[in-house]
């Protein structure tokens, strides 16, 4: 199996390394014709405006849209999530071109700029159910977007509380969860819709390969085969711990 990784800019090398740890080859994709050699694609995190300009320069958008429409598995992380969204807000003047296909509205840099990057423990019951391991995932958010709205066919895989000092456009009906202290607003940070997977965070920057394994199951057909990442009895849970990265912890 070979998985294409869009290699215009951003953390494509880290995705290729994560795939290698699962015994899968990652193929760098920079030109439209190279998409013909792969049956799945990862669009990595990076600077979304820069990536869009480079994709436009290489005339990649028509080929990427066709790739999505053909039902081939595509996973977008951070900037890649913005690429896959049908609608993006909070963009720079003039906006950026999108691939689309994922029925959601994404807010670019929802959590702030580079200095507001953080780590957070998020609940991932779907991932734990199919890939084993802990019921939570230590997620790395770097200039991260967030999903404000999703369509009826979109499956939410993870969400995160909105910071108390964060102002959100009232036209978006954010998820709310009743707690003893009142209603807590949340934004969505991971979704799946048919052949498309989107995460607002960077699994490729952690030692936990369960998101990559989950995507590989999408490539093979949901529910088919078995995952190498499933924990066996007595397996060391420390394998799933995040390496030391100097980012603040989001509470």
């Amino acid at each position: 199996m070979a998985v294409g990784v869009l290699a215009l800019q951003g953390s494509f090398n880290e995705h290729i390394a994560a795939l290698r740890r699962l015994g899968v080859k990652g193929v760098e994709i920079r030109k439209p014709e190279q998409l013909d050699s792969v049956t799945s694609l990862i669009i990595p995190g990076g600077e979304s405006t820069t990536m869009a300009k480079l994709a436009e320069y290489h005339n990649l958008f028509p080929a990427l849209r066709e790739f999505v429409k053909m039902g081939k598995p595509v996973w977008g992380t951070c900037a890649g999530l913005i690429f896959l969204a049908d609608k993006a807000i909070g963009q720079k003047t003039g906006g950026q071109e999108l691939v689309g296909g994922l029925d959601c509205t994404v807010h670019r840099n929802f959590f702030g700029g580079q200095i507001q990057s953080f780590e957070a423990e998020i609940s991932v019951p779907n991932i734990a159910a199919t890939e084993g391991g802990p019921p939570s995932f230590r997620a790395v958010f770097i200039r991260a977007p967030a999903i404000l709205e999703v369509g009826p066919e979109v499956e939410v895989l993870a969400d995160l509380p909105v910071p108390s000092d964060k102002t959100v456009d009232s036209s978006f009906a954010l998820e709310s969860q009743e707690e003893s202290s009142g209603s807590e607003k949340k934004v969505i940070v991971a979704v799946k819709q048919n052949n498309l997977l989107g995460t607002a965070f960077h699994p490729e920057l952690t030692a936990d390969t369960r998101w990559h394994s989950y995507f590989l199951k999408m490539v093979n057909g949901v529910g088919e085969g078995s995952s190498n990442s499933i924990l066996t009895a007595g397996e060391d849970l420390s394998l799933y711990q995040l390496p030391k990265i100097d980012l603040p912890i989001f509470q």
Side-chain angles (χ1 to χ4, degrees), residues 131-151:
E131 308 306 320
S136 63
F137 178 83
R138 189 70 160 193
V140 178
F141 293 83
I142 301 176
R143 295 183 65 188
I147 300 168
L148 303 184
E149 282 187 332
V150 296

PDB file of all heavy atoms in Angstrom, residues 131-151:
ATOM      1  N   GLU A 131      -9.251   1.225  17.172  1.00  0.00           N
ATOM      2  CA  GLU A 131      -7.797   1.103  17.158  1.00  0.00           C
ATOM      3  C   GLU A 131      -7.193   0.705  18.492  1.00  0.00           C
ATOM      4  O   GLU A 131      -5.976   0.519  18.587  1.00  0.00           O
ATOM      5  CB  GLU A 131      -7.164   2.435  16.719  1.00  0.00           C
ATOM      6  CG  GLU A 131      -7.701   3.001  15.425  1.00  0.00           C
ATOM      7  CD  GLU A 131      -7.625   2.005  14.280  1.00  0.00           C
ATOM      8  OE1 GLU A 131      -6.614   1.283  14.170  1.00  0.00           O
ATOM      9  OE2 GLU A 131      -8.591   1.929  13.509  1.00  0.00           O
ATOM     10  N   GLY A 132      -8.037   0.585  19.531  1.00  0.00           N
ATOM     11  CA  GLY A 132      -7.519   0.243  20.841  1.00  0.00           C
ATOM     12  C   GLY A 132      -6.849   1.435  21.506  1.00  0.00           C
ATOM     13  O   GLY A 132      -6.999   2.574  21.083  1.00  0.00           O
ATOM     14  N   GLY A 133      -6.104   1.169  22.541  1.00  0.00           N
ATOM     15  CA  GLY A 133      -5.392   2.231  23.230  1.00  0.00           C
ATOM     16  C   GLY A 133      -6.270   3.016  24.178  1.00  0.00           C
ATOM     17  O   GLY A 133      -7.433   2.676  24.416  1.00  0.00           O
ATOM     18  N   PRO A 134      -5.745   4.103  24.739  1.00  0.00           N
ATOM     19  CA  PRO A 134      -6.482   4.919  25.713  1.00  0.00           C
ATOM     20  C   PRO A 134      -7.723   5.549  25.091  1.00  0.00           C
ATOM     21  O   PRO A 134      -7.779   5.746  23.872  1.00  0.00           O
ATOM     22  CB  PRO A 134      -5.462   5.993  26.110  1.00  0.00           C
ATOM     23  CG  PRO A 134      -4.137   5.455  25.712  1.00  0.00           C
ATOM     24  CD  PRO A 134      -4.370   4.600  24.521  1.00  0.00           C
ATOM     25  N   PRO A 135      -8.715   5.918  25.912  1.00  0.00           N
ATOM     26  CA  PRO A 135      -9.931   6.548  25.396  1.00  0.00           C
ATOM     27  C   PRO A 135      -9.750   8.022  25.056  1.00  0.00           C
ATOM     28  O   PRO A 135     -10.693   8.670  24.612  1.00  0.00           O
ATOM     29  CB  PRO A 135     -10.933   6.380  26.541  1.00  0.00           C
ATOM     30  CG  PRO A 135     -10.073   6.358  27.772  1.00  0.00           C
ATOM     31  CD  PRO A 135      -8.807   5.647  27.362  1.00  0.00           C
ATOM     32  N   SER A 136      -8.551   8.547  25.290  1.00  0.00           N
ATOM     33  CA  SER A 136      -8.286   9.946  24.968  1.00  0.00           C
ATOM     34  C   SER A 136      -7.036  10.039  24.101  1.00  0.00           C
ATOM     35  O   SER A 136      -6.271   9.079  23.975  1.00  0.00           O
ATOM     36  CB  SER A 136      -8.104  10.780  26.240  1.00  0.00           C
ATOM     37  OG  SER A 136      -6.978  10.327  26.971  1.00  0.00           O
ATOM     38  N   PHE A 137      -6.848  11.219  23.512  1.00  0.00           N
ATOM     39  CA  PHE A 137      -5.705  11.460  22.627  1.00  0.00           C
ATOM     40  C   PHE A 137      -5.102  12.812  22.979  1.00  0.00           C
ATOM     41  O   PHE A 137      -5.830  13.793  23.164  1.00  0.00           O
ATOM     42  CB  PHE A 137      -6.166  11.453  21.161  1.00  0.00           C
ATOM     43  CG  PHE A 137      -5.066  11.729  20.174  1.00  0.00           C
ATOM     44  CD1 PHE A 137      -4.227  10.714  19.745  1.00  0.00           C
ATOM     45  CD2 PHE A 137      -4.865  13.010  19.668  1.00  0.00           C
ATOM     46  CE1 PHE A 137      -3.212  10.963  18.834  1.00  0.00           C
ATOM     47  CE2 PHE A 137      -3.862  13.276  18.760  1.00  0.00           C
ATOM     48  CZ  PHE A 137      -3.025  12.245  18.339  1.00  0.00           C
ATOM     49  N   ARG A 138      -3.782  12.853  23.097  1.00  0.00           N
ATOM     50  CA  ARG A 138      -3.087  14.106  23.396  1.00  0.00           C
ATOM     51  C   ARG A 138      -2.870  14.844  22.079  1.00  0.00           C
ATOM     52  O   ARG A 138      -1.992  14.521  21.306  1.00  0.00           O
ATOM     53  CB  ARG A 138      -1.752  13.812  24.057  1.00  0.00           C
ATOM     54  CG  ARG A 138      -1.054  15.044  24.613  1.00  0.00           C
ATOM     55  CD  ARG A 138      -1.791  15.577  25.810  1.00  0.00           C
ATOM     56  NE  ARG A 138      -0.977  16.429  26.645  1.00  0.00           N
ATOM     57  CZ  ARG A 138      -1.339  16.808  27.860  1.00  0.00           C
ATOM     58  NH1 ARG A 138      -2.496  16.401  28.352  1.00  0.00           N
ATOM     59  NH2 ARG A 138      -0.575  17.592  28.578  1.00  0.00           N
ATOM     60  N   ALA A 139      -3.705  15.860  21.819  1.00  0.00           N
ATOM     61  CA  ALA A 139      -3.711  16.540  20.527  1.00  0.00           C
ATOM     62  C   ALA A 139      -2.872  17.813  20.564  1.00  0.00           C
ATOM     63  O   ALA A 139      -2.896  18.554  21.541  1.00  0.00           O
ATOM     64  CB  ALA A 139      -5.142  16.874  20.116  1.00  0.00           C
ATOM     65  N   VAL A 140      -2.148  18.045  19.474  1.00  0.00           N
ATOM     66  CA  VAL A 140      -1.318  19.237  19.322  1.00  0.00           C
ATOM     67  C   VAL A 140      -2.018  20.192  18.353  1.00  0.00           C
ATOM     68  O   VAL A 140      -2.254  19.856  17.194  1.00  0.00           O
ATOM     69  CB  VAL A 140       0.080  18.865  18.784  1.00  0.00           C
ATOM     70  CG1 VAL A 140       0.918  20.125  18.578  1.00  0.00           C
ATOM     71  CG2 VAL A 140       0.788  17.902  19.728  1.00  0.00           C
ATOM     72  N   PHE A 141      -2.346  21.385  18.840  1.00  0.00           N
ATOM     73  CA  PHE A 141      -3.022  22.405  18.042  1.00  0.00           C
ATOM     74  C   PHE A 141      -2.046  23.541  17.763  1.00  0.00           C
ATOM     75  O   PHE A 141      -1.559  24.188  18.703  1.00  0.00           O
ATOM     76  CB  PHE A 141      -4.245  22.947  18.777  1.00  0.00           C
ATOM     77  CG  PHE A 141      -5.359  21.956  18.963  1.00  0.00           C
ATOM     78  CD1 PHE A 141      -5.333  21.049  20.018  1.00  0.00           C
ATOM     79  CD2 PHE A 141      -6.440  21.930  18.092  1.00  0.00           C
ATOM     80  CE1 PHE A 141      -6.362  20.126  20.193  1.00  0.00           C
ATOM     81  CE2 PHE A 141      -7.472  21.013  18.262  1.00  0.00           C
ATOM     82  CZ  PHE A 141      -7.427  20.118  19.309  1.00  0.00           C
ATOM     83  N   ILE A 142      -1.751  23.791  16.496  1.00  0.00           N
ATOM     84  CA  ILE A 142      -0.815  24.853  16.107  1.00  0.00           C
ATOM     85  C   ILE A 142      -1.513  25.791  15.129  1.00  0.00           C
ATOM     86  O   ILE A 142      -1.870  25.385  14.022  1.00  0.00           O
ATOM     87  CB  ILE A 142       0.456  24.263  15.466  1.00  0.00           C
ATOM     88  CG1 ILE A 142       1.162  23.317  16.455  1.00  0.00           C
ATOM     89  CG2 ILE A 142       1.409  25.378  15.037  1.00  0.00           C
ATOM     90  CD1 ILE A 142       2.374  22.615  15.879  1.00  0.00           C
ATOM     91  N   ARG A 143      -1.735  27.032  15.545  1.00  0.00           N
ATOM     92  CA  ARG A 143      -2.499  27.987  14.730  1.00  0.00           C
ATOM     93  C   ARG A 143      -3.751  27.292  14.193  1.00  0.00           C
ATOM     94  O   ARG A 143      -4.064  27.352  13.004  1.00  0.00           O
ATOM     95  CB  ARG A 143      -1.653  28.514  13.570  1.00  0.00           C
ATOM     96  CG  ARG A 143      -0.448  29.329  13.983  1.00  0.00           C
ATOM     97  CD  ARG A 143       0.294  29.881  12.784  1.00  0.00           C
ATOM     98  NE  ARG A 143      -0.532  30.837  12.058  1.00  0.00           N
ATOM     99  CZ  ARG A 143      -0.209  31.369  10.879  1.00  0.00           C
ATOM    100  NH1 ARG A 143       0.925  31.017  10.290  1.00  0.00           N
ATOM    101  NH2 ARG A 143      -0.996  32.239  10.289  1.00  0.00           N
ATOM    102  N   ALA A 144      -4.454  26.661  15.081  1.00  0.00           N
ATOM    103  CA  ALA A 144      -5.438  25.657  14.677  1.00  0.00           C
ATOM    104  C   ALA A 144      -6.777  26.242  14.250  1.00  0.00           C
ATOM    105  O   ALA A 144      -7.262  27.212  14.821  1.00  0.00           O
ATOM    106  CB  ALA A 144      -5.662  24.674  15.823  1.00  0.00           C
ATOM    107  N   PRO A 145      -7.391  25.604  13.251  1.00  0.00           N
ATOM    108  CA  PRO A 145      -8.771  25.930  12.893  1.00  0.00           C
ATOM    109  C   PRO A 145      -9.730  25.179  13.805  1.00  0.00           C
ATOM    110  O   PRO A 145      -9.303  24.385  14.651  1.00  0.00           O
ATOM    111  CB  PRO A 145      -8.878  25.407  11.455  1.00  0.00           C
ATOM    112  CG  PRO A 145      -7.973  24.206  11.460  1.00  0.00           C
ATOM    113  CD  PRO A 145      -6.832  24.569  12.385  1.00  0.00           C
ATOM    114  N   ALA A 146     -11.015  25.438  13.647  1.00  0.00           N
ATOM    115  CA  ALA A 146     -12.056  24.675  14.338  1.00  0.00           C
ATOM    116  C   ALA A 146     -13.258  24.581  13.412  1.00  0.00           C
ATOM    117  O   ALA A 146     -13.467  25.432  12.551  1.00  0.00           O
ATOM    118  CB  ALA A 146     -12.444  25.345  15.647  1.00  0.00           C
ATOM    119  N   ILE A 147     -14.040  23.533  13.590  1.00  0.00           N
ATOM    120  CA  ILE A 147     -15.241  23.325  12.778  1.00  0.00           C
ATOM    121  C   ILE A 147     -16.436  23.869  13.550  1.00  0.00           C
ATOM    122  O   ILE A 147     -16.719  23.445  14.675  1.00  0.00           O
ATOM    123  CB  ILE A 147     -15.423  21.834  12.471  1.00  0.00           C
ATOM    124  CG1 ILE A 147     -14.206  21.299  11.708  1.00  0.00           C
ATOM    125  CG2 ILE A 147     -16.698  21.601  11.666  1.00  0.00           C
ATOM    126  CD1 ILE A 147     -14.155  19.789  11.608  1.00  0.00           C
ATOM    127  N   LEU A 148     -17.133  24.834  12.953  1.00  0.00           N
ATOM    128  CA  LEU A 148     -18.253  25.487  13.621  1.00  0.00           C
ATOM    129  C   LEU A 148     -19.597  24.852  13.286  1.00  0.00           C
ATOM    130  O   LEU A 148     -20.520  24.894  14.090  1.00  0.00           O
ATOM    131  CB  LEU A 148     -18.288  26.975  13.253  1.00  0.00           C
ATOM    132  CG  LEU A 148     -17.035  27.791  13.553  1.00  0.00           C
ATOM    133  CD1 LEU A 148     -17.271  29.256  13.231  1.00  0.00           C
ATOM    134  CD2 LEU A 148     -16.591  27.630  15.002  1.00  0.00           C
ATOM    135  N   GLU A 149     -19.724  24.294  12.093  1.00  0.00           N
ATOM    136  CA  GLU A 149     -20.972  23.662  11.656  1.00  0.00           C
ATOM    137  C   GLU A 149     -20.655  22.438  10.817  1.00  0.00           C
ATOM    138  O   GLU A 149     -19.652  22.421  10.089  1.00  0.00           O
ATOM    139  CB  GLU A 149     -21.802  24.629  10.797  1.00  0.00           C
ATOM    140  CG  GLU A 149     -22.567  25.685  11.566  1.00  0.00           C
ATOM    141  CD  GLU A 149     -23.497  26.480  10.652  1.00  0.00           C
ATOM    142  OE1 GLU A 149     -23.201  26.611   9.448  1.00  0.00           O
ATOM    143  OE2 GLU A 149     -24.517  26.974  11.144  1.00  0.00           O
ATOM    144  N   VAL A 150     -21.513  21.428  10.910  1.00  0.00           N
ATOM    145  CA  VAL A 150     -21.383  20.242  10.068  1.00  0.00           C
ATOM    146  C   VAL A 150     -22.733  19.879   9.470  1.00  0.00           C
ATOM    147  O   VAL A 150     -23.778  20.181  10.040  1.00  0.00           O
ATOM    148  CB  VAL A 150     -20.819  19.029  10.847  1.00  0.00           C
ATOM    149  CG1 VAL A 150     -19.408  19.295  11.328  1.00  0.00           C
ATOM    150  CG2 VAL A 150     -21.723  18.667  12.017  1.00  0.00           C
ATOM    151  N   GLY A 151     -22.693  19.231   8.318  1.00  0.00           N
ATOM    152  CA  GLY A 151     -23.901  18.757   7.673  1.00  0.00           C
ATOM    153  C   GLY A 151     -24.390  17.458   8.278  1.00  0.00           C
ATOM    154  O   GLY A 151     -23.710  16.843   9.115  1.00  0.00           O
TER     155      GLY A 151
END
